[in-house]
Amino acid sequence: MIELTDVTTLLHVGAYGLIVIGIAGIVLNTNLVKIIFGLAVLEAGANLLLLLATFDETARAPVLLNGMAPTVMADPVPQALVLTAIVIGVGVLALALAIVVRVHAAYHTLDIYELRQRMEQDIVRSAGTELPYSSDRPEAVDKREYS
């Protein structure tokens, strides 16, 4: 039979796993949409970890039943904070995806390296100057050579 401590340990491992997967998704991807989804996974892991940090297996909901309060009540503040974090996170993700749609419409790419080059060229074109050049700058690597 599975004990409650085994379940909470499993949930902690899952929360830390979501955080690590989210960080890896942000750091290792070059596609803006995948980076945003990595942010969503990271947020889910952080919210789960916050809820688990305040978990007490003996606590009951702070509700009066027949005029009697439970002896140990769960604190509703962390749950309210996580609910607020979820709502804010949805707003941030919606805004980020809307910005990505506008960026894709303007530059026709979602790759961050290509996007940087195109934005630099756009800035140079609008400023009427040339790109600054450094002899110490590494040569651009064509990703198609390694695929």
Side-chain angles (χ1 to χ4, degrees), residues 3-65:
E3 293 183 26
L4 192 57
T5 56
D6 295 337
V7 173
T8 56
T9 302
L10 183 63
L11 288 173
H12 275 91
V13 169
Y16 286 121
L18 285 173
I19 291 171
V20 168
I21 291 169
I23 291 172
I26 292 169
V27 172
L28 299 177
N29 282 311
T30 60
N31 186 307
L32 285 175
V33 174
K34 291 179 183 178
I35 291 171
I36 291 172
F37 284 136
L39 180 67
V41 171
L42 174 66
E43 176 193 348
N47 289 336
L48 179 59
L49 192 61
L50 181 61
L51 283 178
L52 288 173
T54 61
F55 177 72
D56 182 11
E57 61 188 62
T58 62
R60 299 289 174 244
V63 177
L64 295 176
L65 295 173

Side-chain angles (χ1 to χ4, degrees), residues 78-99:
Q79 297 170 9
L81 289 174
V82 167
L83 184 61
T84 304
I86 290 170
V87 171
I88 291 170
V90 167
V92 167
L93 290 175
L95 177 65
L97 287 173
I99 291 172

Side-chain angles (χ1 to χ4, degrees), residues 23 25 45 62 80 137-138 147:
I23 291 172
R137 182 177 176 178
S147 350

